[in-house]
PDB file of all heavy atoms in Angstrom:
ATOM      1  N   GLY A   1      -1.806 -18.514  -6.848  1.00 92.00           N
ATOM      2  CA  GLY A   1      -1.405 -19.088  -5.571  1.00 92.00           C
ATOM      3  C   GLY A   1       0.013 -18.728  -5.175  1.00 92.00           C
ATOM      4  O   GLY A   1       0.536 -19.239  -4.174  1.00 92.00           O
ATOM      5  N   LYS A   2       0.659 -17.833  -5.930  1.00 93.00           N
ATOM      6  CA  LYS A   2       2.034 -17.431  -5.633  1.00 93.00           C
ATOM      7  C   LYS A   2       2.054 -16.114  -4.878  1.00 93.00           C
ATOM      8  O   LYS A   2       1.169 -15.275  -5.032  1.00 93.00           O
ATOM      9  CB  LYS A   2       2.831 -17.299  -6.932  1.00 93.00           C
ATOM     10  CG  LYS A   2       3.000 -18.621  -7.683  1.00 93.00           C
ATOM     11  CD  LYS A   2       3.830 -18.409  -8.940  1.00 93.00           C
ATOM     12  CE  LYS A   2       4.023 -19.720  -9.689  1.00 93.00           C
ATOM     13  NZ  LYS A   2       4.826 -19.536 -10.924  1.00 93.00           N
ATOM     14  N   ARG A   3       3.121 -15.949  -4.043  1.00 94.00           N
ATOM     15  CA  ARG A   3       3.276 -14.697  -3.302  1.00 94.00           C
ATOM     16  C   ARG A   3       3.774 -13.601  -4.230  1.00 94.00           C
ATOM     17  O   ARG A   3       4.656 -13.827  -5.059  1.00 94.00           O
ATOM     18  CB  ARG A   3       4.263 -14.880  -2.153  1.00 94.00           C
ATOM     19  CG  ARG A   3       4.197 -13.743  -1.129  1.00 94.00           C
ATOM     20  CD  ARG A   3       5.290 -13.858  -0.111  1.00 94.00           C
ATOM     21  NE  ARG A   3       6.564 -13.374  -0.662  1.00 94.00           N
ATOM     22  CZ  ARG A   3       7.687 -13.315   0.045  1.00 94.00           C
ATOM     23  NH1 ARG A   3       7.717 -13.750   1.301  1.00 94.00           N
ATOM     24  NH2 ARG A   3       8.795 -12.860  -0.503  1.00 94.00           N
ATOM     25  N   ARG A   4       3.207 -12.410  -4.052  1.00 94.00           N
ATOM     26  CA  ARG A   4       3.594 -11.278  -4.891  1.00 94.00           C
ATOM     27  C   ARG A   4       3.736 -10.024  -4.027  1.00 94.00           C
ATOM     28  O   ARG A   4       3.064  -9.889  -2.985  1.00 94.00           O
ATOM     29  CB  ARG A   4       2.556 -11.027  -5.994  1.00 94.00           C
ATOM     30  CG  ARG A   4       2.273 -12.240  -6.858  1.00 94.00           C
ATOM     31  CD  ARG A   4       1.494 -11.887  -8.098  1.00 94.00           C
ATOM     32  NE  ARG A   4       2.320 -11.182  -9.080  1.00 94.00           N
ATOM     33  CZ  ARG A   4       1.890 -10.796 -10.285  1.00 94.00           C
ATOM     34  NH1 ARG A   4       0.619 -11.042 -10.630  1.00 94.00           N
ATOM     35  NH2 ARG A   4       2.695 -10.182 -11.128  1.00 94.00           N
ATOM     36  N   ASP A   5       4.615  -9.133  -4.450  1.00 94.00           N
ATOM     37  CA  ASP A   5       4.824  -7.858  -3.761  1.00 94.00           C
ATOM     38  C   ASP A   5       4.387  -6.725  -4.677  1.00 94.00           C
ATOM     39  O   ASP A   5       4.804  -6.659  -5.835  1.00 94.00           O
ATOM     40  CB  ASP A   5       6.294  -7.676  -3.387  1.00 94.00           C
ATOM     41  CG  ASP A   5       6.729  -8.631  -2.287  1.00 94.00           C
ATOM     42  OD1 ASP A   5       5.831  -9.223  -1.640  1.00 94.00           O
ATOM     43  OD2 ASP A   5       7.956  -8.791  -2.088  1.00 94.00           O
ATOM     44  N   MET A   6       3.582  -5.824  -4.127  1.00 95.00           N
ATOM     45  CA  MET A   6       3.053  -4.711  -4.922  1.00 95.00           C
ATOM     46  C   MET A   6       3.490  -3.397  -4.290  1.00 95.00           C
ATOM     47  O   MET A   6       3.219  -3.131  -3.113  1.00 95.00           O
ATOM     48  CB  MET A   6       1.524  -4.780  -4.967  1.00 95.00           C
ATOM     49  CG  MET A   6       0.881  -3.708  -5.812  1.00 95.00           C
ATOM     50  SD  MET A   6      -0.919  -3.965  -5.880  1.00 95.00           S
ATOM     51  CE  MET A   6      -1.377  -2.648  -7.020  1.00 95.00           C
ATOM     52  N   GLY A   7       4.213  -2.574  -5.050  1.00 94.00           N
ATOM     53  CA  GLY A   7       4.671  -1.289  -4.532  1.00 94.00           C
ATOM     54  C   GLY A   7       3.542  -0.275  -4.476  1.00 94.00           C
ATOM     55  O   GLY A   7       2.726  -0.182  -5.391  1.00 94.00           O
ATOM     56  N   LEU A   8       3.521   0.507  -3.377  1.00 95.00           N
ATOM     57  CA  LEU A   8       2.478   1.527  -3.198  1.00 95.00           C
ATOM     58  C   LEU A   8       3.068   2.928  -3.018  1.00 95.00           C
ATOM     59  O   LEU A   8       2.377   3.836  -2.562  1.00 95.00           O
ATOM     60  CB  LEU A   8       1.595   1.178  -1.988  1.00 95.00           C
ATOM     61  CG  LEU A   8       0.812  -0.146  -2.085  1.00 95.00           C
ATOM     62  CD1 LEU A   8       0.016  -0.377  -0.805  1.00 95.00           C
ATOM     63  CD2 LEU A   8      -0.103  -0.141  -3.297  1.00 95.00           C
ATOM     64  N   GLY A   9       4.348   3.109  -3.392  1.00 94.00           N
ATOM     65  CA  GLY A   9       4.958   4.428  -3.288  1.00 94.00           C
ATOM     66  C   GLY A   9       6.038   4.489  -2.232  1.00 94.00           C
ATOM     67  O   GLY A   9       6.335   3.496  -1.544  1.00 94.00           O
ATOM     68  N   ARG A  10       6.630   5.653  -2.077  1.00 94.00           N
ATOM     69  CA  ARG A  10       7.753   5.836  -1.138  1.00 94.00           C
ATOM     70  C   ARG A  10       7.327   6.684   0.061  1.00 94.00           C
ATOM     71  O   ARG A  10       6.545   7.616  -0.072  1.00 94.00           O
ATOM     72  CB  ARG A  10       8.947   6.489  -1.848  1.00 94.00           C
ATOM     73  CG  ARG A  10       9.552   5.602  -2.930  1.00 94.00           C
ATOM     74  CD  ARG A  10      10.807   6.230  -3.513  1.00 94.00           C
ATOM     75  NE  ARG A  10      11.433   5.319  -4.476  1.00 94.00           N
ATOM     76  CZ  ARG A  10      12.248   4.333  -4.150  1.00 94.00           C
ATOM     77  NH1 ARG A  10      12.554   4.124  -2.872  1.00 94.00           N
ATOM     78  NH2 ARG A  10      12.781   3.540  -5.057  1.00 94.00           N
ATOM     79  N   TYR A  11       7.878   6.329   1.167  1.00 95.00           N
ATOM     80  CA  TYR A  11       7.680   7.108   2.400  1.00 95.00           C
ATOM     81  C   TYR A  11       8.863   8.064   2.544  1.00 95.00           C
ATOM     82  O   TYR A  11      10.000   7.668   2.265  1.00 95.00           O
ATOM     83  CB  TYR A  11       7.589   6.179   3.609  1.00 95.00           C
ATOM     84  CG  TYR A  11       7.419   6.910   4.917  1.00 95.00           C
ATOM     85  CD1 TYR A  11       6.151   7.302   5.340  1.00 95.00           C
ATOM     86  CD2 TYR A  11       8.525   7.240   5.711  1.00 95.00           C
ATOM     87  CE1 TYR A  11       5.995   7.996   6.542  1.00 95.00           C
ATOM     88  CE2 TYR A  11       8.384   7.933   6.901  1.00 95.00           C
ATOM     89  CZ  TYR A  11       7.112   8.312   7.314  1.00 95.00           C
ATOM     90  OH  TYR A  11       6.950   9.012   8.497  1.00 95.00           O
ATOM     91  N   PRO A  12       8.684   9.327   2.914  1.00 93.00           N
ATOM     92  CA  PRO A  12       7.447   9.955   3.412  1.00 93.00           C
ATOM     93  C   PRO A  12       6.597  10.639   2.327  1.00 93.00           C
ATOM     94  O   PRO A  12       5.636  11.326   2.651  1.00 93.00           O
ATOM     95  CB  PRO A  12       7.979  10.977   4.400  1.00 93.00           C
ATOM     96  CG  PRO A  12       9.287  11.408   3.803  1.00 93.00           C
ATOM     97  CD  PRO A  12       9.861  10.182   3.131  1.00 93.00           C
ATOM     98  N   ASP A  13       6.987  10.468   1.019  1.00 93.00           N
ATOM     99  CA  ASP A  13       6.162  11.091  -0.027  1.00 93.00           C
ATOM    100  C   ASP A  13       4.721  10.583   0.054  1.00 93.00           C
ATOM    101  O   ASP A  13       3.771  11.341  -0.159  1.00 93.00           O
ATOM    102  CB  ASP A  13       6.751  10.770  -1.406  1.00 93.00           C
ATOM    103  CG  ASP A  13       8.134  11.376  -1.597  1.00 93.00           C
ATOM    104  OD1 ASP A  13       8.413  12.386  -0.917  1.00 93.00           O
ATOM    105  OD2 ASP A  13       8.918  10.848  -2.397  1.00 93.00           O
ATOM    106  N   VAL A  14       4.576   9.311   0.326  1.00 94.00           N
ATOM    107  CA  VAL A  14       3.250   8.738   0.562  1.00 94.00           C
ATOM    108  C   VAL A  14       3.133   8.505   2.059  1.00 94.00           C
ATOM    109  O   VAL A  14       3.740   7.571   2.615  1.00 94.00           O
ATOM    110  CB  VAL A  14       3.072   7.404  -0.206  1.00 94.00           C
ATOM    111  CG1 VAL A  14       1.703   6.792   0.111  1.00 94.00           C
ATOM    112  CG2 VAL A  14       3.234   7.627  -1.693  1.00 94.00           C
ATOM    113  N   PRO A  15       2.376   9.327   2.782  1.00 94.00           N
ATOM    114  CA  PRO A  15       2.261   9.171   4.230  1.00 94.00           C
ATOM    115  C   PRO A  15       1.533   7.889   4.612  1.00 94.00           C
ATOM    116  O   PRO A  15       0.921   7.223   3.776  1.00 94.00           O
ATOM    117  CB  PRO A  15       1.472  10.411   4.662  1.00 94.00           C
ATOM    118  CG  PRO A  15       0.773  10.874   3.436  1.00 94.00           C
ATOM    119  CD  PRO A  15       1.637  10.486   2.281  1.00 94.00           C
ATOM    120  N   ILE A  16       1.596   7.564   5.881  1.00 94.00           N
ATOM    121  CA  ILE A  16       1.038   6.303   6.380  1.00 94.00           C
ATOM    122  C   ILE A  16      -0.449   6.194   6.062  1.00 94.00           C
ATOM    123  O   ILE A  16      -0.917   5.125   5.630  1.00 94.00           O
ATOM    124  CB  ILE A  16       1.276   6.181   7.906  1.00 94.00           C
ATOM    125  CG1 ILE A  16       2.778   6.097   8.201  1.00 94.00           C
ATOM    126  CG2 ILE A  16       0.548   4.966   8.473  1.00 94.00           C
ATOM    127  CD1 ILE A  16       3.128   6.091   9.674  1.00 94.00           C
ATOM    128  N   ARG A  17      -1.202   7.266   6.269  1.00 94.00           N
ATOM    129  CA  ARG A  17      -2.653   7.202   6.036  1.00 94.00           C
ATOM    130  C   ARG A  17      -2.971   6.868   4.580  1.00 94.00           C
ATOM    131  O   ARG A  17      -3.837   6.037   4.302  1.00 94.00           O
ATOM    132  CB  ARG A  17      -3.295   8.538   6.421  1.00 94.00           C
ATOM    133  CG  ARG A  17      -4.807   8.556   6.219  1.00 94.00           C
ATOM    134  CD  ARG A  17      -5.414   9.859   6.675  1.00 94.00           C
ATOM    135  NE  ARG A  17      -5.240  10.041   8.118  1.00 94.00           N
ATOM    136  CZ  ARG A  17      -5.666  11.115   8.796  1.00 94.00           C
ATOM    137  NH1 ARG A  17      -6.257  12.105   8.136  1.00 94.00           N
ATOM    138  NH2 ARG A  17      -5.487  11.200  10.096  1.00 94.00           N
ATOM    139  N   GLU A  18      -2.270   7.504   3.635  1.00 95.00           N
ATOM    140  CA  GLU A  18      -2.516   7.228   2.207  1.00 95.00           C
ATOM    141  C   GLU A  18      -2.104   5.799   1.848  1.00 95.00           C
ATOM    142  O   GLU A  18      -2.760   5.138   1.033  1.00 95.00           O
ATOM    143  CB  GLU A  18      -1.750   8.226   1.341  1.00 95.00           C
ATOM    144  CG  GLU A  18      -2.316   9.637   1.387  1.00 95.00           C
ATOM    145  CD  GLU A  18      -1.588  10.574   0.438  1.00 95.00           C
ATOM    146  OE1 GLU A  18      -0.889  10.076  -0.483  1.00 95.00           O
ATOM    147  OE2 GLU A  18      -1.706  11.798   0.613  1.00 95.00           O
ATOM    148  N   ALA A  19      -1.029   5.316   2.432  1.00 94.00           N
ATOM    149  CA  ALA A  19      -0.581   3.956   2.164  1.00 94.00           C
ATOM    150  C   ALA A  19      -1.628   2.948   2.633  1.00 94.00           C
ATOM    151  O   ALA A  19      -1.898   1.948   1.960  1.00 94.00           O
ATOM    152  CB  ALA A  19       0.759   3.697   2.838  1.00 94.00           C
ATOM    153  N   ARG A  20      -2.223   3.210   3.808  1.00 94.00           N
ATOM    154  CA  ARG A  20      -3.253   2.309   4.323  1.00 94.00           C
ATOM    155  C   ARG A  20      -4.500   2.321   3.424  1.00 94.00           C
ATOM    156  O   ARG A  20      -5.106   1.279   3.166  1.00 94.00           O
ATOM    157  CB  ARG A  20      -3.630   2.713   5.746  1.00 94.00           C
ATOM    158  CG  ARG A  20      -2.561   2.353   6.767  1.00 94.00           C
ATOM    159  CD  ARG A  20      -2.875   2.930   8.130  1.00 94.00           C
ATOM    160  NE  ARG A  20      -1.835   2.556   9.100  1.00 94.00           N
ATOM    161  CZ  ARG A  20      -1.616   3.210  10.249  1.00 94.00           C
ATOM    162  NH1 ARG A  20      -2.381   4.286  10.553  1.00 94.00           N
ATOM    163  NH2 ARG A  20      -0.674   2.804  11.076  1.00 94.00           N
ATOM    164  N   THR A  21      -4.861   3.521   2.961  1.00 94.00           N
ATOM    165  CA  THR A  21      -6.034   3.618   2.068  1.00 94.00           C
ATOM    166  C   THR A  21      -5.797   2.815   0.798  1.00 94.00           C
ATOM    167  O   THR A  21      -6.670   2.077   0.337  1.00 94.00           O
ATOM    168  CB  THR A  21      -6.304   5.091   1.714  1.00 94.00           C
ATOM    169  OG1 THR A  21      -6.553   5.824   2.919  1.00 94.00           O
ATOM    170  CG2 THR A  21      -7.504   5.216   0.787  1.00 94.00           C
ATOM    171  N   ALA A  22      -4.592   2.969   0.219  1.00 94.00           N
ATOM    172  CA  ALA A  22      -4.255   2.218  -1.000  1.00 94.00           C
ATOM    173  C   ALA A  22      -4.252   0.717  -0.723  1.00 94.00           C
ATOM    174  O   ALA A  22      -4.714  -0.099  -1.537  1.00 94.00           O
ATOM    175  CB  ALA A  22      -2.905   2.662  -1.535  1.00 94.00           C
ATOM    176  N   ALA A  23      -3.724   0.320   0.450  1.00 94.00           N
ATOM    177  CA  ALA A  23      -3.658  -1.097   0.795  1.00 94.00           C
ATOM    178  C   ALA A  23      -5.062  -1.683   0.968  1.00 94.00           C
ATOM    179  O   ALA A  23      -5.313  -2.840   0.603  1.00 94.00           O
ATOM    180  CB  ALA A  23      -2.848  -1.285   2.068  1.00 94.00           C
ATOM    181  N   LEU A  24      -5.975  -0.900   1.521  1.00 94.00           N
ATOM    182  CA  LEU A  24      -7.357  -1.364   1.673  1.00 94.00           C
ATOM    183  C   LEU A  24      -8.021  -1.585   0.322  1.00 94.00           C
ATOM    184  O   LEU A  24      -8.802  -2.526   0.136  1.00 94.00           O
ATOM    185  CB  LEU A  24      -8.156  -0.357   2.511  1.00 94.00           C
ATOM    186  CG  LEU A  24      -7.825  -0.333   4.018  1.00 94.00           C
ATOM    187  CD1 LEU A  24      -8.515   0.841   4.704  1.00 94.00           C
ATOM    188  CD2 LEU A  24      -8.238  -1.649   4.671  1.00 94.00           C
ATOM    189  N   GLU A  25      -7.722  -0.718  -0.651  1.00 94.00           N
ATOM    190  CA  GLU A  25      -8.252  -0.897  -2.000  1.00 94.00           C
ATOM    191  C   GLU A  25      -7.727  -2.191  -2.624  1.00 94.00           C
ATOM    192  O   GLU A  25      -8.461  -2.936  -3.290  1.00 94.00           O
ATOM    193  CB  GLU A  25      -7.869   0.298  -2.886  1.00 94.00           C
ATOM    194  CG  GLU A  25      -8.578   1.601  -2.536  1.00 94.00           C
ATOM    195  CD  GLU A  25     -10.081   1.491  -2.766  1.00 94.00           C
ATOM    196  OE1 GLU A  25     -10.514   0.778  -3.699  1.00 94.00           O
ATOM    197  OE2 GLU A  25     -10.830   2.123  -1.994  1.00 94.00           O
ATOM    198  N   VAL A  26      -6.451  -2.459  -2.390  1.00 93.00           N
ATOM    199  CA  VAL A  26      -5.860  -3.698  -2.884  1.00 93.00           C
ATOM    200  C   VAL A  26      -6.532  -4.901  -2.221  1.00 93.00           C
ATOM    201  O   VAL A  26      -6.818  -5.915  -2.863  1.00 93.00           O
ATOM    202  CB  VAL A  26      -4.337  -3.702  -2.620  1.00 93.00           C
ATOM    203  CG1 VAL A  26      -3.737  -5.061  -2.980  1.00 93.00           C
ATOM    204  CG2 VAL A  26      -3.653  -2.607  -3.425  1.00 93.00           C
ATOM    205  N   ARG A  27      -6.778  -4.792  -0.915  1.00 93.00           N
ATOM    206  CA  ARG A  27      -7.412  -5.881  -0.188  1.00 93.00           C
ATOM    207  C   ARG A  27      -8.820  -6.175  -0.730  1.00 93.00           C
ATOM    208  O   ARG A  27      -9.239  -7.329  -0.824  1.00 93.00           O
ATOM    209  CB  ARG A  27      -7.489  -5.496   1.307  1.00 93.00           C
ATOM    210  CG  ARG A  27      -8.127  -6.535   2.218  1.00 93.00           C
ATOM    211  CD  ARG A  27      -7.366  -7.824   2.238  1.00 93.00           C
ATOM    212  NE  ARG A  27      -6.018  -7.666   2.776  1.00 93.00           N
ATOM    213  CZ  ARG A  27      -5.093  -8.621   2.719  1.00 93.00           C
ATOM    214  NH1 ARG A  27      -5.366  -9.763   2.109  1.00 93.00           N
ATOM    215  NH2 ARG A  27      -3.897  -8.426   3.222  1.00 93.00           N
ATOM    216  N   ARG A  28      -9.539  -5.127  -1.137  1.00 94.00           N
ATOM    217  CA  ARG A  28     -10.887  -5.323  -1.707  1.00 94.00           C
ATOM    218  C   ARG A  28     -10.811  -6.099  -3.028  1.00 94.00           C
ATOM    219  O   ARG A  28     -11.680  -6.921  -3.327  1.00 94.00           O
ATOM    220  CB  ARG A  28     -11.566  -3.973  -1.921  1.00 94.00           C
ATOM    221  CG  ARG A  28     -11.919  -3.248  -0.622  1.00 94.00           C
ATOM    222  CD  ARG A  28     -12.789  -2.019  -0.901  1.00 94.00           C
ATOM    223  NE  ARG A  28     -13.018  -1.267   0.309  1.00 94.00           N
ATOM    224  CZ  ARG A  28     -12.327  -0.203   0.687  1.00 94.00           C
ATOM    225  NH1 ARG A  28     -11.325   0.238  -0.088  1.00 94.00           N
ATOM    226  NH2 ARG A  28     -12.609   0.431   1.811  1.00 94.00           N
TER     227      ARG A  28
END
């Protein structure tokens, strides 16, 4: 029940599209 922050890489090494794909996997 606690808030947490999860790193998904650095921009622009990880472009927006890849970041969204990774975020969707986390959401699942």
